[in-house]
Amino acid sequence: MSESETSTNPDQEFIRSVWEEARDLIKRLEGSTVQRFSVEAGGTKIEIERAAAGASAPGAGQPVAAASMPAATAEEIAASDDRHPILAPLVGTFYGASQPGAKPFVEEGDFVDEGQTVAIVEAMKLMNHVKAGRSGRVSEILCKDGDWVEFEQPIMYLEATGE
Amino acid sequence: MSESETSTNPDQEFIRSVWEEARDLIKRLEGSTVQRFSVEAGGTKIEIERAAAGASAPGAGQPVAAASMPAATAEEIAASDDRHPILAPLVGTFYGASQPGAKPFVEEGDFVDEGQTVAIVEAMKLMNHVKAGRSGRVSEILCKDGDWVEFEQPIMYLEATGE
Amino acid sequence: MFEKVLIANRGEIALRVARACRELGIKSVAVYSTADAESAVVRFADEAVQIGPPAAGRSYLHIPSIIGAAQKTGADAIHPGYGFLSEDPYFAEICTNEGITFIGPKPDVMEKVADKATARDLMSKAGLPLLPGTVDPVNTVDEARDIADEIGLPVIIKAVAGGGGRGMTVVWNREELASQYRSTRATAQAVFKDSAVYVERYLQAPYHTEVQLVCDEHGGGVYFGERDCSVQRRHQKLIEEAPSVHLTPEMRTDIGEKAVNGALSIGYTGAGTMEFLLDQDGNLAFMEMNARIQVEHPVSEMITDCDLIQEQIRVAAGEQLSVTQDAVELKGHALECRINAEDPDNNFAPTAGRLETYVPPGGPWTRVDSHCYPGWTVSPFYDSLIAKLIVWAPDRERAINRMQRALSEFEISGRGVKTTIPFHQRILANAQFRSGDVTTDFVEQFMAEEKQLAAATG
Amino acid sequence: MFEKVLIANRGEIALRVARACRELGIKSVAVYSTADAESAVVRFADEAVQIGPPAAGRSYLHIPSIIGAAQKTGADAIHPGYGFLSEDPYFAEICTNEGITFIGPKPDVMEKVADKATARDLMSKAGLPLLPGTVDPVNTVDEARDIADEIGLPVIIKAVAGGGGRGMTVVWNREELASQYRSTRATAQAVFKDSAVYVERYLQAPYHTEVQLVCDEHGGGVYFGERDCSVQRRHQKLIEEAPSVHLTPEMRTDIGEKAVNGALSIGYTGAGTMEFLLDQDGNLAFMEMNARIQVEHPVSEMITDCDLIQEQIRVAAGEQLSVTQDAVELKGHALECRINAEDPDNNFAPTAGRLETYVPPGGPWTRVDSHCYPGWTVSPFYDSLIAKLIVWAPDRERAINRMQRALSEFEISGRGVKTTIPFHQRILANAQFRSGDVTTDFVEQFMAEEKQLAAATG
């Protein structure tokens, strides 16, 4: 179970406030040589741990995702920035066009509508159409024809078009 | 290594301040159902863990001792109250008097001076005199003649005589 | 030999296969659902591919994703482990069509073995003993009654397509036979989409005895002794041991040779197990064949010193068995306890959660096959097996003592997590279990006695 | 059999003995210093007594506290493990006087064995081969020169009271003999308070071969094959294996029988090891006898399927050996890697600290003897052995492959903690090690080559 599941609604607010204080503490730690510190009292324990100077810890820069999920999905990770990833629906081969030589479904810069086909992932001769989960501008296409993709691997990013 | 050893002087102050904030957080947690919560960002991590309602965690009530020492000695544990334990210097048999039937070295209520013999712990025919590490009033004698004692097992308690 | 093997499974068996690959100098590829992204095999294997969401239907059972992962990584063989796709002839066929070696029998052989009636028919032709009764489906009540009269009551009516204890009815008196025949057919039709049933003698308290064998593609076949798996609850094995204390050396040789001949007679290749029931008079009767490696294979490994997974991979690669029958000597006694994340005090309900503490036992002749580590989260999506604890000793009594020692140092804890360790400890302390006289109804009786005791003392 | 055994030791061997006791149905008592209050054996044993502060002199070596702990708990025997008090005849005698059985040889036998000159004398009389040279101390330079002339250079001058590589001088040319004879005597006098020295042929690159044996009090003695411990650094063993690939079956039987006869000839009882040097021509020469169980005993257990600690306890209780010589068959090959908390890249300096991660390897034929668990603090007060990783396989090559697999999944980490795992991995990958042609100077050469390579590439 990820820790987040242990938090029940009545405590949501409390957690958010702790979160704030946590961020404070973290800022104050910068520059110190402390790597680890822990206090325990009653049934409660607080632990602060920092990577050795230089080392980048897992989840660096993504406090939210890193906080709890052992298997954070790409979706959650991306939630920390303003881009919306389109994910491969299964393991297979990426194709940007309906057939070799044909005009690609989308190109970087294009605007797409929710539900529009943006790529194909082929698995065992089956062509799986990948549709945009929302509308937006294609800011980056991460795969080229023939690339193998894994389940939920981001294949392109949409950028919110300020609605 | 106990966590405390990783704190170096330049950071002592910082740690004390974190300690304060930690205590704050702990207070705020009381009454909530949160058992575990963790945040991570950059190379830093904060973790809060609480015993299930009712359960008393190791070191409850002794933040200092519980924070780090895996093998807290009787001395340290006792530091949390005002009594001064006299500990067995080795494994052996406790005797309260120099020989059977003789007047005991001390009795509860007696005042003892620092260095005064208060008991004997016998190991392999060797009579080891146990001396008071400080002066005070014998508030409680924990062993009776013939009892086996372990190393650093409290054999009696002295009470500070308000100096 | 293979260059790279993809392991189409999860949990302890995926790690077991990956270990064998590494020891053989073969690269391994783990596939995993999002729930298993931090699993031990993902950390251990040379490569790992995320194939789908937690639901097995869209990950570990999703053939296109697994074939895709194999093609993505260039694996030249797939090991299916047990469960999931391990006994799916269709999957084996697809592997073959895609030019990937399926580590198991040929698809057509898998099909024959999967169909109970066909398997019973073929094995009886090959000389294996069956229970008195029919091999072919029984199509009328009269036929069923004639058979019952011939072999005597009680008899059991079994769905041809049944398994795992479902689609079976025991008939104790002649009057009820007709109604029970019809109801079993109806159930079979409803549950298995096949109303065919057969009738055979019902053994009330048999021993579950199974013979482990491996056959290569050069006509070679070796049996690795037998296992006794009579300690089961609702057809779920809890404790397995090898050898069976109920077989004489003569019986062992006889059934072993018959099992290998039976397997070779249908062109069986790879590792497999023939399941038998053993009655109190020492009669063995063939029940079914499992065309895969089994959970309990380690107890056979411990008494034969043969690595069954490595043999399985070798023969799949077209090599000959690395051992001959003469070289397989049984020594001592081995026990396996299946440690499940289940609550024995709550009807063995599965539990899930993060393992705050996981300290496996160690020391002499103590083997732990497990994918768990401190911090691993036992997922509610998959079966509840979290560790197999296997011990070896010169004899059964000392093996039991060693198992008790090992269980006493096994520390597993986490919020919400319960394990079957205490239940195993109670069984190991039970006088009847220690006597060795344990039939397939033992656990049921054991639990009933415990309940009575609790009621009496409580 | 004993009712209750006190274990006068710590770390992995204390746990190993406690496990054996539990398997034998004997209650165990752990003793611990304040540094070991949370140790695995304290958690596992039936009782535990705190005997002193971290300094061994006031705890694990403090006889009154250990005897006291035994009397406090009513233990009827004491197992000394290895190191600490295990080879102290005085301690053994006190145990006897206090009516407690010391699990080891009789005190007078321990004394004979402890004195190298006496041991060499007795064993040569018993028919064990010695290196050319003297048995008795050499008292004059002339005498030393005559011997050197007789057996030929190089020779080694050894302090009778020496050990662990100290108090030895190798003489390469005749001119230096006199001065080196005098300096060695002086050193011996200074270090061991005994100037007596003897002279024998010096073997430059021998194999370290040792024979494991156990003798009971009924004149029974059994040898359990031999171990090769040539992979050592400054006389500290790093990797041990069994059997030695340099002995023929005939040599094995011959030296085994001689070792047992030698032990029986001095009334030896309990587990013991005879150390030999094996030269390139297949000549074995007795060096010394260790009157205790040794760190590397598991490799012998793995190839013989005999539990040496249980045998040791049995014979100490006056029982006969549970196995006869004929029943001890060697099978396959076993390796042990000593995982030390040392920094191989910093001259093997000991490291200490809390183990944040401790995930031992598992799976087939993989044994871990260790007292560590996640959160355990490796103390700077005691030796740096944190785990023994032992594997078995049908042959040496597969054993090496399995060891590499097991090492690859062993996760140990903690602030400041370094282990010898990477060093073991480099040795196991070394062509010469894999060839089996490894003499006692291998590690030195291996490290020199590594240094050169680093210099060349760096």
Side-chain angles (χ1 to χ4, degrees):
Chain A
M1 277 177 293
S2 64
E3 280 77 10
S4 60
E5 286 172 31
T6 67
S7 66
T8 53
N9 295 343
D11 298 305
Q12 290 296 12
E13 199 180 304
F14 163 78
I15 286 171
R16 221 170 280 107
S17 70
V18 175
W19 200 294
E20 288 318 311
E21 304 205 42
R23 294 235 163 107
D24 269 24
L25 292 178
I26 291 160
K27 283 201 204 71
R28 311 197 34 181
L29 264 154
E30 291 314 322
S32 85
T33 66
V34 174
Q35 282 202 342
R36 193 181 162 81
F37 177 72
S38 105
V39 198
E40 189 170 286
T44 310
K45 184 176 176 195
I46 292 204
E47 210 173 319
I48 302 185
E49 191 167 39
R50 300 176 60 241
S56 105
Q62 317 142 16
V64 183
S68 54
M69 316 281 174
T73 67
E75 215 124 24
E76 289 150 351
I77 289 163
S80 62
D81 63 33
D82 63 339
R83 300 180 307 167
H84 172 79
I86 296 179
L87 308 176
L90 78 173
V91 179
T93 316
F94 172 94
Y95 291 108
S98 56
Q99 51 189 286
K103 178 176 178 305
F105 295 110
V106 296
E107 299 184 77
E108 294 186 359
D110 290 0
F111 285 90
V112 298
D113 299 326
E114 178 171 352
Q116 180 181 333
T117 294
V118 295
I120 282 174
V121 171
E122 182 246 319
M124 290 179 65
K125 315 282 175 296
L126 267 171
M127 301 297 167
N128 304 277
H129 286 246
V130 184
K131 294 174 164 37
R134 43 162 292 173
S135 65
R137 206 176 107 281
V138 176
S139 61
E140 187 182 7
I141 298 176
L142 303 159
C143 306
K144 54 184 194 320
D145 284 1
D147 281 359
W148 275 98
V149 293
E150 301 187 14
F151 174 69
E152 284 190 346
Q153 177 179 325
I155 58 178
M156 60 183 69
Y157 283 112
L158 294 186
E159 227 164 44
T161 50
E163 318 117 36
Chain B
M1 274 178 297
S2 66
E3 281 78 8
S4 58
E5 283 171 42
T6 67
S7 65
T8 53
N9 294 344
D11 297 303
Q12 291 295 14
E13 200 180 306
F14 162 78
I15 285 170
R16 221 170 281 106
S17 69
V18 176
W19 201 295
E20 287 319 310
E21 304 205 42
R23 295 236 162 104
D24 268 23
L25 292 179
I26 291 160
K27 281 200 208 72
R28 310 199 34 180
L29 265 153
E30 292 313 324
S32 83
T33 67
V34 174
Q35 281 203 341
R36 193 180 162 80
F37 177 72
S38 106
V39 198
E40 188 172 289
T44 310
K45 185 177 175 196
I46 292 205
E47 211 174 317
I48 303 186
E49 193 167 37
R50 301 177 58 241
S56 105
Q62 318 142 16
V64 184
S68 52
M69 315 282 175
T73 67
E75 215 125 22
E76 289 150 355
I77 289 164
S80 62
D81 62 35
D82 63 339
R83 301 180 306 167
H84 172 79
I86 296 179
L87 307 176
L90 78 172
V91 179
T93 315
F94 172 95
Y95 292 107
S98 56
Q99 52 190 286
K103 179 177 175 308
F105 295 109
V106 295
E107 298 184 80
E108 293 185 357
D110 289 1
F111 284 89
V112 298
D113 299 327
E114 178 173 350
Q116 179 180 335
T117 295
V118 295
I120 283 175
V121 172
E122 180 246 321
M124 290 179 64
K125 316 279 175 299
L126 267 171
M127 300 299 169
N128 304 278
H129 286 246
V130 185
K131 293 173 166 37
R134 45 162 292 175
S135 66
R137 207 176 105 282
V138 177
S139 63
E140 187 183 5
I141 298 177
L142 303 160
C143 307
K144 56 185 192 322
D145 284 3
D147 282 357
W148 276 98
V149 293
E150 300 188 14
F151 174 69
E152 285 189 347
Q153 177 179 324
I155 57 178
M156 61 183 69
Y157 282 112
L158 294 186
E159 227 164 46
T161 50
E163 320 115 31
Chain C
M1 183 46 78
F2 304 118
E3 292 287 316
K4 191 186 280 188
V5 169
L6 179 139
I7 302 157
N9 213 301
R10 63 175 303 283
E12 68 85 18
I13 192 62
L15 185 58
R16 170 71 183 93
V17 173
R19 283 166 168 161
C21 288
R22 174 120 349 135
E23 292 174 3
L24 287 167
I26 301 169
K27 294 252 171 291
S28 56
V29 180
V31 295
Y32 61 97
S33 74
T34 50
D36 287 332
E38 304 211 322
S39 69
V41 72
V42 168
R43 290 154 59 148
F44 178 81
D46 296 292
E47 294 174 72
V49 179
Q50 179 163 294
I51 53 167
R58 288 190 52 205
S59 52
Y60 298 107
L61 287 168
H62 192 249
I63 295 177
S65 297
I66 286 167
I67 296 292
Q71 291 169 333
K72 177 184 196 295
T73 53
D76 47 3
I78 293 181
H79 194 301
Y82 51 68
F84 291 131
L85 296 168
S86 61
E87 292 177 285
D88 180 344
Y90 171 66
F91 176 62
E93 201 166 342
I94 291 175
C95 291
T96 315
N97 298 342
E98 298 289 336
I100 303 164
T101 304
F102 174 83
I103 298 178
K106 300 280 164 278
D108 58 317
V109 177
M110 289 172 77
E111 260 173 45
K112 287 179 193 156
V113 171
D115 181 281
K116 276 192 173 175
T118 311
R120 282 160 47 87
D121 182 29
L122 291 167
M123 288 309 133
S124 94
K125 288 201 177 74
L128 269 71
L130 297 189
L131 282 174
T134 60
V135 168
D136 305 321
V138 177
N139 299 317
T140 70
V141 178
D142 295 346
E143 204 185 324
R145 197 179 286 107
D146 295 346
I147 296 157
D149 294 343
E150 183 193 331
I151 65 179
L153 293 171
V155 296
I156 184 164
I157 305 173
K158 285 185 176 176
V160 168
R166 287 154 72 234
M168 302 181 179
T169 315
V170 179
V171 182
W172 294 92
N173 56 66
R174 204 163 183 284
E175 296 63 45
E176 296 171 358
L177 189 139
S179 60
Q180 287 171 320
Y181 170 80
R182 295 196 192 84
S183 63
T184 310
R185 278 185 80 93
T187 314
Q189 181 60 43
V191 179
F192 307 108
K193 311 274 168 292
D194 175 3
S195 67
V197 299
Y198 58 93
V199 177
E200 64 184 13
R201 170 172 297 155
Y202 174 64
L203 297 180
Q204 212 177 328
Y207 304 107
H208 175 114
T209 312
E210 55 186 35
V211 174
Q212 174 70 57
L213 54 85
V214 180
C215 301
D216 62 28
E217 293 173 354
H218 308 276
V222 170
Y223 60 91
F224 298 83
E226 77 289 346
R227 296 181 289 258
D228 181 304
C229 313
S230 301
V231 180
Q232 28 181 275
R233 176 181 165 277
R234 301 196 183 158
H235 300 273
Q236 296 303 308
K237 296 164 183 169
L238 297 174
I239 300 177
E240 301 99 345
E241 55 189 281
S244 163
V245 295
H246 307 293
L247 293 194
T248 64
E250 295 67 33
M251 291 165 74
R252 178 167 297 119
T253 307
D254 177 61
I255 199 64
E257 287 172 352
K258 283 181 172 150
V260 168
N261 294 338
L264 293 176
S265 74
I266 58 170
Y268 192 90
T269 51
T273 300
M274 299 251 188
E275 287 192 2
F276 300 86
L277 292 186
L278 172 64
D279 70 17
Q280 300 294 333
D281 308 323
N283 304 308
L284 283 155
F286 171 80
M287 285 292 118
E288 62 181 90
M289 180 172 193
N290 299 316
R292 52 173 160 83
I293 196 70
Q294 284 184 287
V295 175
E296 60 268 27
H297 73 276
V299 291
S300 300
E301 294 183 319
M302 293 301 99
I303 63 162
T304 60
D305 281 334
C306 296
D307 189 317
L308 294 170
I309 303 288
Q310 288 192 17
E311 289 298 330
Q312 188 186 25
I313 294 172
R314 261 194 215 93
V315 300
E319 296 186 9
Q320 295 194 333
L321 277 155
S322 77
V323 286
T324 62
Q325 190 64 65
D326 309 345
V328 179
E329 287 175 26
L330 305 196
K331 51 157 198 56
H333 201 89
L335 285 173
E336 171 179 283
C337 285
R338 295 193 192 188
I339 313 298
N340 296 330
E342 297 171 354
D343 183 356
D345 303 329
N346 179 19
N347 200 29
F348 290 83
T351 65
R354 185 168 183 280
L355 301 181
E356 307 297 338
T357 311
Y358 180 81
V359 181
W365 295 282
T366 302
R367 166 178 174 180
V368 180
D369 277 27
S370 173
H371 55 296
C372 295
Y373 57 86
W376 170 247
T377 297
V378 177
S379 152
F381 299 108
Y382 311 109
D383 76 48
S384 56
L385 179 67
I386 52 177
K388 300 188 310 198
L389 175 54
I390 304 103
V391 301
W392 178 92
D395 55 53
R396 186 172 186 269
E397 186 189 0
R398 281 186 272 183
I400 293 172
N401 294 342
R402 179 159 283 151
M403 179 63 85
Q404 289 179 304
R405 184 274 298 171
L407 284 170
S408 74
E409 58 183 87
F410 208 151
E411 294 180 37
I412 305 177
S413 71
R415 266 191 319 289
V417 177
K418 293 267 196 313
T419 80
T420 48
I421 288 176
F423 189 75
H424 284 299
Q425 289 174 311
R426 297 202 299 275
I427 286 183
L428 291 170
N430 175 274
Q432 190 179 346
F433 174 80
R434 295 188 75 100
S435 78
D437 176 23
V438 172
T439 49
T440 51
D441 56 350
F442 167 74
V443 171
E444 201 179 322
Q445 292 175 12
F446 172 79
M447 291 176 73
E449 283 162 19
E450 278 200 322
K451 199 167 273 161
Q452 286 174 7
L453 217 65
T457 57
Chain D
M1 182 47 77
F2 303 118
E3 291 288 315
K4 191 186 283 188
V5 169
L6 179 139
I7 302 156
N9 214 301
R10 63 174 303 283
E12 68 85 19
I13 192 63
L15 185 58
R16 170 71 183 92
V17 173
R19 284 167 168 160
C21 289
R22 174 125 343 139
E23 293 174 4
L24 287 168
I26 301 169
K27 293 251 171 289
S28 57
V29 180
V31 295
Y32 61 97
S33 74
T34 49
D36 287 331
E38 303 211 323
S39 70
V41 71
V42 168
R43 290 153 61 148
F44 178 81
D46 297 291
E47 294 173 72
V49 180
Q50 181 164 291
I51 53 168
R58 289 189 53 205
S59 52
Y60 298 107
L61 286 169
H62 193 248
I63 295 177
S65 296
I66 287 168
I67 296 291
Q71 292 169 331
K72 176 184 195 297
T73 54
D76 48 3
I78 293 181
H79 194 301
Y82 50 68
F84 292 130
L85 296 168
S86 60
E87 293 177 284
D88 182 343
Y90 172 65
F91 175 62
E93 201 165 342
I94 291 174
C95 291
T96 316
N97 299 342
E98 298 290 336
I100 302 164
T101 304
F102 174 83
I103 299 179
K106 300 280 162 282
D108 59 317
V109 177
M110 289 172 77
E111 259 173 44
K112 287 179 191 154
V113 171
D115 181 282
K116 276 191 173 176
T118 312
R120 280 160 50 85
D121 182 29
L122 291 168
M123 288 309 132
S124 95
K125 289 201 177 76
L128 268 71
L130 297 190
L131 282 174
T134 59
V135 167
D136 305 321
V138 177
N139 300 319
T140 70
V141 177
D142 295 346
E143 202 185 326
R145 195 179 288 106
D146 295 347
I147 295 157
D149 294 344
E150 181 194 332
I151 64 178
L153 293 171
V155 297
I156 184 164
I157 306 173
K158 287 185 177 176
V160 167
R166 287 154 72 236
M168 302 182 180
T169 314
V170 178
V171 183
W172 294 91
N173 55 66
R174 203 163 183 286
E175 297 64 46
E176 296 171 358
L177 190 140
S179 59
Q180 288 171 321
Y181 170 81
R182 293 195 194 84
S183 63
T184 311
R185 279 185 80 95
T187 314
Q189 180 60 44
V191 179
F192 307 108
K193 309 273 167 290
D194 173 5
S195 67
V197 299
Y198 60 93
V199 177
E200 64 185 12
R201 171 171 297 153
Y202 174 63
L203 296 182
Q204 210 177 329
Y207 303 108
H208 176 114
T209 311
E210 55 186 35
V211 174
Q212 174 70 57
L213 54 85
V214 180
C215 301
D216 62 29
E217 294 173 353
H218 310 276
V222 170
Y223 60 91
F224 296 83
E226 77 290 345
R227 296 181 290 259
D228 181 303
C229 312
S230 301
V231 180
Q232 32 181 272
R233 175 180 165 279
R234 302 194 183 160
H235 300 276
Q236 295 304 309
K237 296 165 183 169
L238 297 174
I239 300 177
E240 302 99 343
E241 56 188 282
S244 163
V245 296
H246 307 293
L247 293 194
T248 64
E250 296 67 33
M251 293 165 72
R252 178 166 298 121
T253 308
D254 177 61
I255 199 65
E257 287 171 353
K258 284 180 173 151
V260 168
N261 294 338
L264 293 176
S265 73
I266 59 169
Y268 193 89
T269 51
T273 299
M274 299 250 188
E275 288 192 2
F276 300 86
L277 291 186
L278 172 64
D279 71 17
Q280 298 295 331
D281 308 324
N283 305 310
L284 283 155
F286 172 81
M287 285 291 116
E288 61 181 89
M289 181 172 193
N290 299 316
R292 57 165 199 278
I293 195 70
Q294 285 184 287
V295 175
E296 59 269 26
H297 74 275
V299 291
S300 300
E301 293 183 319
M302 292 301 99
I303 63 162
T304 60
D305 281 334
C306 297
D307 189 316
L308 293 170
I309 304 289
Q310 288 192 17
E311 288 299 330
Q312 187 185 25
I313 293 172
R314 261 194 215 94
V315 299
E319 295 187 9
Q320 295 196 334
L321 277 154
S322 77
V323 286
T324 62
Q325 190 63 65
D326 309 346
V328 178
E329 286 176 25
L330 306 196
K331 51 157 196 57
H333 201 90
L335 285 172
E336 171 179 282
C337 285
R338 296 192 190 189
I339 314 297
N340 296 330
E342 298 171 354
D343 183 356
D345 303 330
N346 179 18
N347 200 28
F348 290 82
T351 65
R354 185 168 184 279
L355 301 181
E356 307 298 339
T357 311
Y358 180 80
V359 181
W365 296 282
T366 302
R367 167 179 173 180
V368 180
D369 277 28
S370 173
H371 55 297
C372 295
Y373 57 87
W376 170 246
T377 297
V378 177
S379 152
F381 298 109
Y382 311 109
D383 77 48
S384 56
L385 179 67
I386 51 178
K388 301 188 310 198
L389 176 54
I390 304 104
V391 300
W392 178 93
D395 54 53
R396 186 172 186 270
E397 187 188 0
R398 282 186 271 184
I400 293 172
N401 294 341
R402 178 159 284 149
M403 180 62 85
Q404 290 179 304
R405 184 274 297 172
L407 284 169
S408 73
E409 58 183 86
F410 208 151
E411 293 180 39
I412 305 176
S413 71
R415 265 188 326 291
V417 177
K418 294 266 195 313
T419 79
T420 47
I421 288 175
F423 188 76
H424 283 300
Q425 289 174 312
R426 296 203 299 275
I427 286 184
L428 292 170
N430 176 273
Q432 190 178 346
F433 173 80
R434 295 187 75 98
S435 77
D437 176 24
V438 172
T439 48
T440 51
D441 58 349
F442 167 75
V443 170
E444 202 180 321
Q445 291 176 13
F446 172 78
M447 291 176 73
E449 283 163 19
E450 278 199 323
K451 198 167 272 162
Q452 285 174 7
L453 216 65
T457 56

